[in-house]
Amino acid sequence: MLYLSMYVIQCLPMMKKEIRTVMLHHMCDYLETKGVKREKILAGLAIDEKFLKSKSNWVDKKTMDELMSRASKLIPDSDFFYNLGVFSVLDETKGLKGKIIKVTETPKIVFYEVAILSFLFNKVYKLDVLHADDRSADITASIHPPHHISYDNCQYIRGLLAAVPEIFKLGLARINEPNCSVSQKNLPPELINPQTKYNSPKCHYLLSW
């Protein structure tokens, strides 16, 4: 079976602390909105519901990549990870937390906070805000060696960033990506943007809303 692969984690304490389980939590919640039970995506892994319930647990990037691969096979949609990124931000900021953010912050402040505090959620990716104002933001994303940014990784980051203005009911940000870290040779022709320079050291996102 597809999900009972040889990829099995033998011991959670031996996993590198690279990505917080908050991303897994949102991925499973989003898949359930598509009718996919979390037991299906977690089958064969030493990650159970109890482990996921704590958003402060960690997994390594290898585990995250495996789960992202499973998700993309369950929902074969090129926009899946972009939509997951949007869902993650809006789900995380709903209720009282979202109301507080709307009153006390702005998209500009949130972007700077995300970049500064991102190390609390992952130790693999790095976000840098080059500029942000009331209507736009200029942000780069990079990844620590020996890892590489995949198309799915890039789309997820785009979704996370695009959702920030929507916290304030300003709509999703429009994104232009002049430079992308993804290897062009790994992309099917229909996903290649002729305006984007691939194989770049960083993904460069120009956002407006």
Side-chain angles (χ1 to χ4, degrees), residues 11-185:
C11 184
L12 284 175
M14 297 299 291
M15 251 196 269
K16 292 181 181 178
K17 293 183 177 182
E18 294 182 318
I19 298 174
R20 287 273 288 273
T21 48
V22 62
M23 180 180 171
L24 279 75
H25 185 85
H26 288 306
M27 183 189 296
C28 289
D29 284 351
Y30 183 61
L31 283 168
E32 288 195 333
T33 69
K34 302 294 183 181
V36 178
K37 296 295 184 183
R38 61 187 64 208
E39 292 83 2
K40 190 168 186 178
I41 194 171
L42 297 176
L45 300 180
I47 299 175
D48 56 18
E49 184 64 22
K50 182 178 179 181
F51 183 80
L52 270 186
K53 276 186 177 178
S54 174
K55 296 181 182 180
S56 61
N57 284 329
W58 294 80
V59 297
D60 56 21
K61 188 173 185 297
K62 184 179 180 182
T63 302
M64 182 58 67
D65 288 345
E66 170 68 9
L67 291 169
M68 292 179 76
S69 175
R70 293 181 179 193
S72 65
K73 291 170 183 173
L74 286 165
I75 310 290
D77 178 357
S78 61
D79 292 327
F80 174 82
F81 287 101
Y82 171 85
N83 293 332
L84 171 61
V86 171
F87 173 88
S88 299
V89 170
L90 299 183
D91 189 57
E92 189 67 22
T93 56
K94 65 185 179 183
L96 180 61
K97 183 186 293 186
K99 291 178 180 178
I100 294 173
I101 292 173
K102 290 173 191 175
V103 172
T104 61
E105 303 189 14
T106 65
K108 172 183 175 179
I109 293 173
V110 172
F111 280 126
Y112 278 110
E113 287 179 342
V114 168
I116 292 169
L117 300 176
S118 62
F119 74 93
L120 295 175
F121 301 94
N122 84 86
K123 301 181 185 301
V124 176
Y125 303 98
K126 185 175 187 295
L127 293 178
D128 290 297
V129 179
L130 306 182
H131 170 78
D133 57 36
D134 292 337
R135 302 300 298 178
S136 66
D138 186 348
I139 299 173
T140 61
S142 56
I143 193 167
H144 300 304
H147 304 298
H148 302 280
I149 291 182
S150 68
Y151 176 80
D152 293 341
N153 297 149
C154 181
Q155 290 301 300
Y156 178 71
I157 294 170
R158 287 171 66 106
L160 293 174
L161 299 177
V164 170
E166 178 57 20
I167 298 172
F168 303 88
K169 302 303 180 183
L170 298 173
L172 297 175
R174 299 176 296 278
I175 301 181
N176 177 32
E177 189 177 359
N179 297 285
C180 182
S181 293
V182 176
S183 173
Q184 184 171 336
K185 68 179 182 180

